[in-house]
Amino acid sequence: HVQLVESGGGSVQAGGSLRLSCRLSGDTFGQYSMAWFRGAPGKGQEGVASFDIDGSTIYGDSVKGRFTVYRGNAKNTMFLQMNNLKPEDTAIYSCAAARAGRSMNRFQALDVAEYIYWGQGTQVTVS
């Protein structure tokens, strides 16, 4: 049974940095394409960044050049390094995993419907 647990959220001033972590347990980490999404009150889920099993990464337009997604396979963990944070980045950040073995193209990679496993989310507040 796949489980995802996020950590690393918190409060930071505009221009600051945070690093989020998402640990996958219950199966072989390398066979899952994963992504970060974020949601704020009154808004739907927004795709932030994805890391495909083929090693490719996709970023949402609002975070390009500021956020970096990467994986530490030895730790079964995906990371999201967030730099130059802005107040509009304030949201609950959730990590997600697609079904085992699924590789997605750039149109699918940030589509919430492609992901079947979800973490509980971690709050990021930028003031």
Side-chain angles (χ1 to χ4, degrees), residues 17-71:
S17 298
L18 283 173
R19 188 180 75 163
L20 305 183
S21 302
C22 173
R23 188 174 187 280
L24 185 150
S25 62
D27 205 344
T28 305
F29 179 67
Q31 64 179 330
Y32 290 91
S33 294
M34 298 175 68
W36 289 97
F37 292 86
R38 65 186 183 187
K43 298 182 180 180
Q45 288 284 332
E46 176 190 5
V48 175
S50 69
F51 197 111
D52 198 87
I53 55 174
D54 68 3
S56 61
T57 56
I58 298 292
Y59 295 92
D61 289 342
S62 62
V63 306
K64 285 179 181 177
R66 300 188 297 124
F67 290 12
T68 302
V69 62
Y70 61 101
R71 289 165 47 137

Side-chain angles (χ1 to χ4, degrees), residues 25-123:
S25 62
D27 205 344
T28 305
F29 179 67
Q31 64 179 330
Y32 290 91
S33 294
M34 298 175 68
W36 289 97
F37 292 86
R38 65 186 183 187
K43 298 182 180 180
Q45 288 284 332
E46 176 190 5
V48 175
S50 69
F51 197 111
D52 198 87
I53 55 174
D54 68 3
S56 61
T57 56
I58 298 292
Y59 295 92
D61 289 342
S62 62
V63 306
K64 285 179 181 177
R66 300 188 297 124
F67 290 12
T68 302
V69 62
Y70 61 101
R71 289 165 47 137
N73 288 336
K75 298 181 180 180
N76 285 7
T77 301
M78 176 179 67
F79 300 94
L80 183 68
Q81 177 66 44
M82 305 186 294
N83 297 329
N84 190 22
L85 282 160
K86 304 176 180 180
E88 51 263 43
D89 294 319
T90 295
I92 296 174
Y93 285 70
S94 300
C95 70
R99 65 172 174 81
R102 176 147 175 78
S103 179
M104 288 170 279
N105 62 37
R106 62 189 179 95
F107 301 106
Q108 299 165 324
L110 293 180
D111 181 352
V112 67
E114 294 286 347
Y115 295 88
I116 61 172
Y117 302 105
W118 290 83
Q120 293 298 311
T122 184
Q123 176 72 46

